[in-house]
Amino acid sequence: MKSLRKSNHDILIQLTNIARNFKSTEESYFLSYPYFLSYFKNLKSINLENLIIGISFTYSWMPTTLKTINLQNSKEIITLLNDVKNGELIDEKQLTTLKTAFNNSLVGTSKLLHFINPEQYAIWDSRVFRFLNNSEPHKYKLEKPKVYIEYLKLIEKLKNEKAFEAFFELMKQNVGYEITEYRALELGFFIGAKFQHKGIS
């Protein structure tokens, strides 16, 4: 992400400090998270019914309601989601297809992708953007598939840094259950934005 000012190492040092101050809560999103992952993990493949159920519970994590599901390209959408489940990385064009289907929201789409494959896809939202860019997100930037792809590449780089392991172990301990490397980083960004707002570094 071009607007990052800190090195990857410095980001991880900051995230480790954030993890030390973070304590898991009984909030619904911590409680529901492993069940959402289990739903998709236990499926052999995703069909239309699974898609409808999945995007519906995904929107319980969204500040807005699920107003539109565009299923004109349902076969293509289901194929893409199964590709994601099977470890494929989708490109900008494919991501746009999914975004268009789900409320035209990249944020909502990123959450669904993460629930399907938490090893290779991370949740993307305004707080993550704010933490990484130290600026308020404009909707056109937040909703650009290219920016999300760059975000995934950044996460891949961060998890290969030497300082990552200490952060990851600390975050798993504080969450209280197993999480993936992508989830640990995204959660660190999310919490970090809240801490920045409160003046905690």
Side-chain angles (χ1 to χ4, degrees), residues 45-62:
S45 63
I46 298 169
N47 61 28
L48 183 58
E49 177 182 340
N50 307 140
L51 161 61
I52 298 297
I53 292 171
I55 193 61
S56 296
F57 68 60
T58 294
Y59 264 76
S60 71
W61 275 32
M62 292 287 286

Side-chain angles (χ1 to χ4, degrees), residues 23-201:
K23 297 298 177 187
S24 184
T25 70
E26 295 300 310
E27 292 180 70
S28 63
Y29 67 95
F30 280 110
L31 294 173
S32 60
Y33 178 79
Y35 296 99
F36 290 177
L37 264 58
S38 291
Y39 176 78
F40 284 110
K41 185 177 181 180
N42 292 333
L43 297 174
K44 289 184 178 180
S45 63
I46 298 169
N47 61 28
L48 183 58
E49 177 182 340
N50 307 140
L51 161 61
I52 298 297
I53 292 171
I55 193 61
S56 296
F57 68 60
T58 294
Y59 264 76
S60 71
W61 275 32
M62 292 287 286
T64 58
T65 59
L66 180 59
K67 297 177 182 177
T68 58
I69 305 177
N70 184 346
L71 296 177
Q72 290 182 341
N73 300 320
S74 60
K75 289 185 179 180
E76 180 182 5
I77 293 165
I78 291 169
T79 296
L80 286 174
L81 294 182
N82 277 297
D83 287 345
V84 167
K85 180 175 171 57
N86 293 325
E88 297 291 330
L89 290 175
I90 58 176
D91 59 27
E92 289 179 45
K93 183 178 179 182
Q94 293 167 325
L95 191 56
T96 299
T97 297
L98 294 177
K99 172 181 178 286
T100 302
F102 306 131
N103 243 19
N104 201 31
S105 170
L106 183 57
V107 172
T109 299
S110 76
K111 292 181 180 183
L112 178 64
L113 294 176
H114 178 75
F115 293 146
I116 293 172
N117 181 351
E119 299 280 352
Q120 293 176 289
Y121 292 86
I123 293 171
W124 170 249
D125 64 15
S126 59
R127 283 182 176 173
V128 171
F129 182 100
R130 192 177 298 118
F131 177 83
L132 291 174
N133 296 281
N134 197 29
S135 64
E136 290 302 308
H138 296 288
K139 187 173 177 62
Y140 79 93
K141 287 185 178 180
L142 187 66
E143 291 291 336
K144 286 178 69 172
K146 181 179 180 180
V147 174
Y148 180 70
I149 298 295
E150 291 174 351
Y151 167 59
L152 295 183
K153 290 177 181 178
L154 171 65
I155 286 183
E156 194 63 29
K157 290 177 181 177
L158 288 173
K159 76 183 186 67
N160 290 321
E161 290 279 336
K162 289 183 179 179
F164 173 77
E165 196 59 36
F167 157 74
F168 187 40
E169 291 302 318
L170 188 56
M171 187 61 83
K172 286 192 294 183
Q173 179 182 337
N174 288 343
V175 169
Y177 50 74
E178 284 296 315
I179 55 175
T180 64
E181 296 162 321
Y182 276 54
R183 172 60 172 165
L185 285 165
E186 170 266 315
L187 187 56
F189 304 147
F190 180 83
I191 297 164
K194 293 173 69 175
F195 283 178
Q196 283 177 341
H197 181 69
K198 295 177 181 178
I200 302 171
S201 59

